[in-house]
Amino acid sequence: MAYPDDLLGDDEHVVIHKHPHWKMLFWPIVIFLITVAAGAYLAALVSNQSWHLYAWIAIGAIALIVIIWILLGPLIRWRTTHFVLTTHRVMVREGVLTRTGIDIPMSRINSVQFRHGLLDRLVGAGTLIIESASDEPLEFDDIPQVEYVHSLLYREINDDPSDDFHPGHSRGER
């Protein structure tokens, strides 16, 4: 899904748009599968009882609450979290009811780093660390293809047209 163009400035284009890596959904999906299996087991266990209908309703209600609480929340959080790199800035947007966001202009970024351990490398994710001019470094976890995003961001920072060398002028003159 492309990032809405009406939220971008003039001559600004999306370079990359990512949601967090699917690994953040791993444990909620495992708990979902365990809940379904446990619910099916318990439903089969009480099926020969005279009160089985009431037990099935209770099992279904508890399973539904667990599924909504454990799976639906993280799934919505994953879907509504956006990491967007444009030609002018880095944007992060999160949330449904309470929406938060941060924009970092390319001109204010001092350094870009990435970090990923063995598990992150196996699944193709990592943490992107952006140090801007005035703030503490910002860490963005679970970025898919973090090395690729890192190199794109580095390229965008260093390809700033205002920093191009103009013949006849020294690098420091404008």
Side-chain angles (χ1 to χ4, degrees), residues 112-114 128 146-155:
V112 183
Q113 303 172 26
F114 69 90
L128 188 69
V146 71
E147 287 186 64
Y148 176 68
V149 173
H150 171 266
S151 66
L152 279 177
L153 181 53
Y154 182 79
R155 238 180 284 145

Side-chain angles (χ1 to χ4, degrees), residues 94-135:
E94 300 175 317
V96 178
L97 301 175
T98 302
R99 198 102 169 110
T100 60
I102 185 168
D103 291 9
I104 307 168
M106 292 293 183
S107 61
R108 306 230 347 146
I109 296 176
N110 291 337
S111 69
V112 183
Q113 303 172 26
F114 69 90
R115 177 180 62 235
H116 54 157
L118 180 60
L119 178 62
D120 284 336
R121 286 195 318 256
L122 288 173
V123 298
T127 300
L128 188 69
I129 304 158
I130 300 175
E131 187 177 329
S132 64
S134 63
D135 297 325

